[in-house]
Amino acid sequence: MFMPVGTAAAVKGLTQEALESLGAKIILANTYHLYLRPGHGLIRKLGGLHQFMSWNGAILTDSGGYQVFSLAELRKITDQGVRFRSHLDGSEHLLDPEKAVEVQLALGSDIAMVLDECIETPAPRSIAEAALKRTSEWARRARNYFLAQSQRDSELLQWQFGIVQGATFADLRQASARQLLEIDFPGYAVGGLAVGEPHEVTCEMTEAVTALLPHERPRYLMGVGRPEQIPDYVARGIDMMDCVLPTRAARHACIYTSEGRVLIKNSRYIEDQRALDPNCSCAVCRRYSRAYLRHLFAAGEITAAILATFHNVHFYLDIMRQIREAISFGQLANFATELRARYAAGPA
Amino acid sequence: MFMPVGTAAAVKGLTQEALESLGAKIILANTYHLYLRPGHGLIRKLGGLHQFMSWNGAILTDSGGYQVFSLAELRKITDQGVRFRSHLDGSEHLLDPEKAVEVQLALGSDIAMVLDECIETPAPRSIAEAALKRTSEWARRARNYFLAQSQRDSELLQWQFGIVQGATFADLRQASARQLLEIDFPGYAVGGLAVGEPHEVTCEMTEAVTALLPHERPRYLMGVGRPEQIPDYVARGIDMMDCVLPTRAARHACIYTSEGRVLIKNSRYIEDQRALDPNCSCAVCRRYSRAYLRHLFAAGEITAAILATFHNVHFYLDIMRQIREAISFGQLANFATELRARYAAGPA
C-alpha cells in the first residue's frame, strides 16, 4: 500500500471526497505538525483525527521525530528525549518516547510510530551505533508506555510500529531489527533510508532487514519513493510506503505518466490536446488536456494543483494495483524493469 | 442567474466537475486575460473555450475593456480604441470594438460583450457624456462587425450584448439605453455601477435603465454583488449578475452563511463542530466542521480554499434559487428584507 501524505490533516490539493474517489484506503498525517497546530488536545476533544478531518479510511501517524530532528539548531537530544523549539512560535517543547505515544493516542490514528533517533547519512559507524542503541531503548519505553495505556483502555484499537535504524551498516540494521523483534511489535518500519544514499544501498539495507522481519506482519519503508523504485522495495518484502513526491511534484507541475515524467509547463505542451497520461483512466485524464493544464500552471491557477495532484496520486495508487497484479502473476521483476525503462530518461 | 467568475478559464479553487455538481449553468471568463494568456488564437485552434477548459455549460466573456481601463498609466484611449501594454510582459496591443468582437468569436463564448468606455466615478457630467457618446459609437461598430461576421458564418451561435453607461446620471443612463435599443441587441448589460457609489445610487441607476430595456431580453448588471444586495437588483428587473466576491472571499476565509458572514479564522471557531452554515445542504457543510476549516486556513492548506470556495459558490447559487422561489410566491420584497437583516451586522 501507498499512503498519500496529509501533513496537517489534509492532503494538499485534495478533499477527502477526492481521496475516496481515488480509492485511497490509508493516509499519513504528521504528529509534529498536528501537535503544534491545532494541538493534539483539541483534536482529541473534537473526537480524534478521523472525526476532525472527516476521514473514514485509515490513518498512520509518524512519531514527530523526523521533523524535530530536522530542526537542526532548534533541538537538543538527550537519552530522555528531544527538547525543541517550535518553528511556528519558538515555544519550547519536550518530545520523548512516552510523549510521542501520548500525542498519537490523542490523535487516535490507526497506526502509531515509536520515537526513533534519526541521524544524517552518511554517518560514522560510532554515531550510527549510538543512535541505534538509543532508538532501541526508546522503542522499549514507547512499547511499555503504550501497553500500559492499552491495559487501562480496552477500546484502544491502535497499532504501534517499531522503527529499524542503523544507517547504512547492514549488521547494525540487523541488530536493530533483532532488538525490536524482542520487544515485539505488530508491525515494523525501516527508517532513515532514502535520505540521499544511492538506491542500491537503500535496497541492500532494506533486504538485510526484511530478511529478519516476519512476513506476516506489515513492513513499512518510510518516506519512499520514486515510482520506478517502488517495485524494488516490494520485491524486498516491503508492504507499506509513504511519500510526498506525488503531491509535491504535482504542485510543481511535474506529472507522473505511464510514459515517464511530464514537466507540464514546458512549451512543447502548449497545443497538446492529449490527456496528461493517454493511458490513464483517472477523472482528470478523461476530461482535461495537457494544453489546459499547462495554461493553468502558467497562469498560476490553484485549479492546476488540484487537477495535477489528483492525477499523480491516482498514478501512485495505480502503480500499487499493478504491482499486486504483477505479484499474483509472478511478474514483479518484469514490471520493475519496464517501469525503470520508462523513467530512465526523465527528470527526477 | 449568477455567474461565478473564471478569469483565466478556471474558477479559482473549483474544478469543472465541482461547478457541475454545484449546478452552475453559466460562468464568466475574462477576455483580457485569455487574450494575453494563452491567447485567443490558441484557444480557437484548440476548439474554443468550451473545449479548451472542458466546460459544457454556458460561458459569457467580457470585452476586455474593464481590465484594460484599469491599467491606468499602461493605456491610452482614442476614438479608435484603447492602446495598452500587457501587465505580463509590457508588450503593446490595440483593443478596439472590432478586435473585442474578433477575440470573443475566437473564444467561442455563448455571450459576448461589446467594448465600452469605463470611467471612474464619481465623474463630472461632461466626462460621463463623452464616455457615453464613445460607448454608443463603439457599440454600433461592434454590432456592425459582429453582424457581418454572422452573415459569413451561419453556424455562429454567439449572442452579443450592449452595455449601458452614463455614470451616476439617470438621464445619461437612459440616453445610453435608448441608443443601444436603436442598435438592437439580444441582451443588455448595465456597466460602470457598483464601483464605489452608494448602494441606493446603484439601485436608482439600475431602475432608470431597466424601465426602458425590454423585459423579454436578458438584463445583466455587471460585477455585482453582495448577497444581501442581489434581491434589490432583481427587484429592479436584473436577470444576470457576476461577481468575484464568493470565490475571492472564500480564499480569504470569509464564509457566507444563512446567518451572515463567518470569518472562519476567528479563534471563536476553534472548537466549533457545526457546519460552516448549519442550514446549508452543500457537500462541504454536510461533511466538515468550522473547527476543521479554521485549522486548514490557519495552516495555509490549499484544501481550505477548495472547500470554502465550494461552499460560497453554493451559497450564491442557492440565493438565486431562493429568489426565484420568492418571486413565484410574490415574496421577493420580504426575502430582500430578511437577507439584509442577516447581513446588517457582519463584516463587508
Side-chain angles (χ1 to χ4, degrees), chain A residues 9 12 20 287-288 292 301, chain B residues 9 12 20 287 292 301:
Chain A
K12 291 181 202 309
E20 286 164 359
R287 179 157 194 170
Y288 303 99
Y292 183 56
E301 288 288 324
Chain B
K12 293 183 200 309
E20 285 165 0
R287 180 157 194 169
Y292 182 57
E301 287 288 323

Side-chain angles (χ1 to χ4, degrees), chain A residues 170-209:
Chain A
D171 62 324
L172 294 187
R173 287 273 167 192
Q174 294 201 323
S176 174
R178 285 199 188 88
Q179 287 161 25
L180 293 178
L181 283 165
E182 229 170 76
I183 301 172
D184 189 23
F185 288 93
Y188 298 90
V190 185
L193 286 180
V195 288
E197 79 282 1
H199 178 57
E200 295 66 36
V201 176
T202 317
C203 288
E204 190 196 326
M205 293 301 120
T206 302
E207 196 163 354
V209 169

Side-chain angles (χ1 to χ4, degrees), chain B residues 13 116 140 148 224 280:
Chain B
D116 57 339
R140 173 81 62 184
V224 296
C280 176

Side-chain angles (χ1 to χ4, degrees), chain B residues 144-326:
Chain B
N144 288 343
Y145 189 79
F146 178 86
L147 292 175
Q149 300 300 314
S150 295
Q151 287 199 324
R152 271 207 282 274
D153 178 3
S154 60
E155 288 180 17
L156 197 161
L157 287 171
Q158 199 176 53
W159 280 13
Q160 186 186 43
F161 281 19
I163 305 179
V164 173
Q165 287 290 351
T168 51
F169 304 97
D171 62 324
L172 294 188
R173 286 274 168 192
Q174 294 202 321
S176 175
R178 286 199 188 89
Q179 286 161 25
L180 294 178
L181 283 165
E182 228 170 77
I183 301 171
D184 190 23
F185 288 94
Y188 298 89
V190 185
L193 286 179
V195 288
E197 78 282 1
H199 177 57
E200 296 66 35
V201 176
T202 318
C203 288
E204 190 196 326
M205 294 301 120
T206 302
E207 197 164 355
V209 168
T210 51
L212 301 180
L213 297 175
H215 67 80
E216 72 278 10
R217 298 201 185 171
R219 296 177 291 197
Y220 162 31
L221 184 55
M222 303 179 84
V224 296
R226 292 167 56 164
E228 70 274 25
Q229 298 173 336
I230 289 177
D232 299 334
Y233 305 136
V234 174
R236 284 159 182 83
I238 293 299
D239 306 296
M240 302 170 61
M241 279 154 280
D242 78 281
C243 196
V244 294
L245 209 47
T247 44
R248 183 175 292 164
R251 297 197 301 283
H252 291 90
C254 173
I255 310 294
Y256 291 100
T257 82
S258 61
E259 297 165 349
R261 290 174 192 81
V262 166
L263 300 181
I264 195 65
K265 285 174 92 164
N266 194 300
S267 61
R268 68 175 2 156
Y269 303 118
I270 204 160
E271 296 184 8
D272 194 335
Q273 304 216 50
R274 288 176 298 167
L276 289 178
D277 182 349
N279 302 313
C280 176
S281 63
C282 87
V284 171
C285 287
R286 282 201 309 267
R287 180 157 194 169
Y288 303 100
S289 68
R290 292 176 175 188
Y292 182 57
L293 264 287
R294 184 193 178 276
H295 161 68
L296 293 181
F297 274 108
E301 287 288 323
I302 179 175
T303 310
I306 299 173
L307 297 178
T309 303
F310 190 94
H311 168 79
N312 273 3
V313 171
H314 180 275
F315 181 82
Y316 263 70
L317 296 178
D318 201 54
I319 290 260
M320 303 315 288
R321 279 189 282 271
Q322 291 180 62
I323 286 178
R324 286 190 289 271
E325 198 178 282

Side-chain angles (χ1 to χ4, degrees), chain A residues 8-17 20 37-38 42 45-46 51-54 270-271 273 283 287-288 291-292 295-296 298-299 301-303 305-307, chain B residues 8-17 20 37-38 42 45-46 51-54 270-271 273 283 287-288 291-292 295-296 298-299 301-303 305-307:
Chain A
V11 177
K12 291 181 202 309
L14 298 180
T15 62
Q16 276 68 299
E17 288 87 346
E20 286 164 359
R37 187 171 58 192
L42 178 71
K45 191 170 175 184
L46 297 180
Q51 189 174 329
F52 178 63
M53 65 182 292
S54 186
I270 204 162
E271 297 184 5
Q273 304 216 49
R287 179 157 194 170
Y288 303 99
Y292 183 56
H295 161 68
L296 292 180
E301 288 288 324
I302 179 175
T303 310
I306 300 172
L307 297 178
Chain B
V11 177
K12 293 183 200 309
L14 298 180
T15 63
Q16 276 68 298
E17 287 86 346
E20 285 165 0
R37 186 172 59 193
L42 177 72
K45 191 170 174 184
L46 298 180
Q51 189 174 331
F52 178 63
M53 65 184 291
S54 187
I270 204 160
E271 296 184 8
Q273 304 216 50
R287 180 157 194 169
Y288 303 100
Y292 182 57
H295 161 68
L296 293 181
E301 287 288 323
I302 179 175
T303 310
I306 299 173
L307 297 178

Side-chain angles (χ1 to χ4, degrees), chain A residues 194-272:
Chain A
V195 288
E197 79 282 1
H199 178 57
E200 295 66 36
V201 176
T202 317
C203 288
E204 190 196 326
M205 293 301 120
T206 302
E207 196 163 354
V209 169
T210 52
L212 301 180
L213 296 175
H215 65 82
E216 72 279 9
R217 298 200 185 172
R219 297 177 290 197
Y220 163 29
L221 184 56
M222 303 179 83
V224 296
R226 293 168 56 164
E228 70 273 27
Q229 298 173 336
I230 289 177
D232 298 335
Y233 304 135
V234 175
R236 283 158 182 85
I238 293 299
D239 305 297
M240 301 170 62
M241 280 155 280
D242 77 283
C243 196
V244 294
L245 208 46
T247 44
R248 181 176 292 166
R251 296 197 303 283
H252 291 91
C254 174
I255 310 294
Y256 291 99
T257 83
S258 61
E259 295 165 350
R261 290 174 192 82
V262 165
L263 300 180
I264 194 64
K265 284 175 94 165
N266 194 300
S267 61
R268 69 175 2 156
Y269 303 117
I270 204 162
E271 297 184 5
D272 194 334

